[in-house]
Amino acid sequence: MGSPAIRDNTVLVTGGAGFVGSHLVDALRPNNEVRVLDDFSNGHREYVPDDVTVIEGDVGDEDVLEPAMDGVDLVFHQAAIVSVTESVDDPRHSHETNLEASLKLLERARHEDARVVVASSAATYGHPDELPVTESASMDPTSPYGVQKLALDQYARLYADLYDLPTVTLRYFNVYGPRQQGPYSGVIATFLEQARAGEPITVEGDGSQTRDFVHVSDVVRANLRAATTEIVGGAYNVGTGERTSIRTLAETVRTVVGSSSTIVHRDPRPGDIRHSRADVSKARRELGFEARIGLETGIRALVNETDLGVSIDSDRPVVDSPSDQR
Ligand code: UD2
């Protein structure tokens, strides 16, 4: 399945100043002309290297989108309002950003004949019937965010079918890593902050709920594979295939930090999903992608500020079954 490295492309990363997007920019910029489109609602200028062109504005603003997309070969669409809670509070606002703006981007990509790698989410599945959840599982999102990502996910497939637009969709599970910050940043960032400050670590509910935590460097690698795969129009889970309870997570973070924080329990989050775990076989088979960073390694790297960055040159697909030998 040898996928060529991404080189000498003009690449747009929407949300490129944000958590996942900025790590992608780091991986791409040594070999490509990289542009970032970000409205800085959640992104940070200091995450973007100086030699990268930054276009400030909304993806949904066509006066900004058109020049940003002009001449691009490849788009990584990471810009979104990622907070499930915010989408529940204001569905119309998140709809505009997560869906309407994305549709404009797909249209523009048609015009440019650019490949689009779309960031979707495990939120599209809602409460999975079976674990691990496969890409063909039923999709019953429990939040406006999940509905918006599901519609985008389906539009991406449809644009490939109807218009031959090369799209690849990645359904992220619980992503964590450096630069994840802010009030809705995810449980690992929150626990780490609490453990470092010696404050109580706040487990919502009894802590037996589980998640599939995937390190952002693995998510970057999945994106690089999606950018070069010959199979377009598909959607892939991006997780590790492992699940960890929130209680275990709290204990792990406390141990790795060497903190004396107590672990306290709060009310469960309304609508919280009990369990989530990716079936990773399709991504492995078709993208040659497999997560490499186990949770404890990832948390240790976060605490010790060890760089687990991805280099395009060092990224090789996994080839481990006859069906992979294309
Ligand atoms: C994640 C994604 C979301 C969506 C969803 C798909 C993040 C930040 N959000 O939502 O975008 O893709 O997965 O299902 O990655 N918790 C605590 N204490 C805290 C904070 C959280 O116990 O201080 C619990 C929380 O109740 C939940 C779990 O930790 O059971 C994970 O919460 P989260 O906000 O990190 O992510 P999640 O799974 O709601």
Side-chain angles (χ1 to χ4, degrees):
M1 148 182 329
S3 300
I6 306 158
R7 263 177 211 293
D8 303 324
N9 277 296
T10 302
V11 184
L12 176 67
V13 182
T14 72
F19 167 45
V20 177
S22 66
H23 287 286
L24 250 175
V25 169
D26 287 344
L28 292 161
R29 76 179 247 278
N31 302 309
N32 298 281
E33 192 212 311
V34 180
R35 299 175 196 164
V36 161
L37 172 55
D38 203 299
D39 68 358
F40 292 95
S41 58
N42 211 17
H44 297 263
R45 217 164 259 280
E46 63 271 22
Y47 292 169
V48 185
D50 289 341
D51 58 353
V52 169
T53 308
V54 176
I55 302 141
E56 184 168 352
D58 284 340
V59 175
D61 178 349
E62 271 150 325
D63 292 340
V64 174
L65 182 68
E66 282 190 28
M69 294 275 291
D70 186 37
V72 293
D73 305 301
L74 178 60
V75 181
F76 293 93
H77 182 37
Q78 305 296 314
I81 293 180
V82 297
S83 163
V84 173
T85 313
E86 269 186 273
S87 83
V88 172
D89 291 346
D90 193 348
R92 285 183 62 187
H93 178 55
S94 58
H95 180 94
E96 275 169 26
T97 302
N98 294 345
L99 190 56
E100 281 177 20
S102 300
L103 201 53
K104 289 179 187 167
L105 181 138
L106 288 174
E107 269 303 301
R108 209 57 221 164
R110 270 179 82 191
H111 185 265
E112 299 290 340
D113 201 16
R115 174 179 290 230
V116 186
V117 179
V118 168
S120 181
S121 167
T124 53
Y125 296 118
H127 299 286
D129 294 333
E130 279 180 27
L131 293 172
V133 62
T134 64
E135 287 83 350
S136 56
S138 63
M139 307 191 83
D140 300 301
T142 55
S143 63
Y145 173 81
V147 170
Q148 292 147 16
K149 285 291 184 181
L150 174 55
L152 169 59
D153 193 296
Q154 294 295 309
Y155 268 125
R157 178 186 56 77
L158 207 60
Y159 268 64
D161 289 351
L162 285 180
Y163 311 123
D164 279 333
L165 186 74
T167 64
V168 180
T169 298
L170 300 177
R171 295 180 186 154
Y172 298 168
F173 280 63
N174 286 63
V175 188
Y176 70 99
R179 303 180 190 161
Q180 190 177 33
Q181 60 181 76
Y184 301 112
S185 62
V187 63
I188 292 187
T190 304
F191 283 1
L192 212 56
E193 213 177 294
Q194 292 168 334
R196 279 181 161 146
E199 289 166 2
I201 297 176
T202 52
V203 171
E204 293 167 351
D206 66 4
S208 63
Q209 71 270 36
T210 57
R211 293 293 186 274
D212 184 336
F213 293 104
V214 58
H215 193 271
V216 67
S217 65
D218 281 326
V219 175
V220 168
R221 290 177 44 251
N223 273 277
L224 299 181
R225 304 243 61 82
T228 51
T229 179
E230 284 164 21
I231 308 168
V232 293
Y236 301 92
N237 289 340
V238 177
T240 63
E242 305 288 329
R243 62 183 174 139
T244 305
S245 76
I246 299 304
R247 176 79 204 188
T248 302
L249 176 72
E251 286 161 3
T252 306
V253 168
R254 183 170 64 176
T255 306
V256 172
V257 172
S259 163
S260 55
S261 289
T262 54
I263 295 174
V264 297
H265 290 262
R266 285 185 173 164
D267 286 345
R269 201 184 269 186
D272 196 37
I273 288 165
R274 287 295 299 158
H275 300 295
S276 176
R277 179 183 158 212
D279 183 307
V280 296
S281 50
K282 187 181 176 196
R284 184 209 294 249
R285 200 171 55 242
E286 295 190 6
L287 296 182
F289 166 73
E290 186 174 66
R292 290 181 185 157
I293 314 292
L295 183 57
E296 196 168 327
T297 305
I299 292 174
R300 282 192 190 284
L302 251 184
V303 170
N304 301 324
E305 294 181 17
T306 315
D307 185 11
L308 298 176
V310 178
S311 138
I312 286 177
D313 295 318
S314 67
D315 187 44
R316 296 279 173 271
V318 285
V319 180
D320 65 352
S321 72
S323 63
D324 281 319
Q325 316 280 349
R326 277 183 245 275

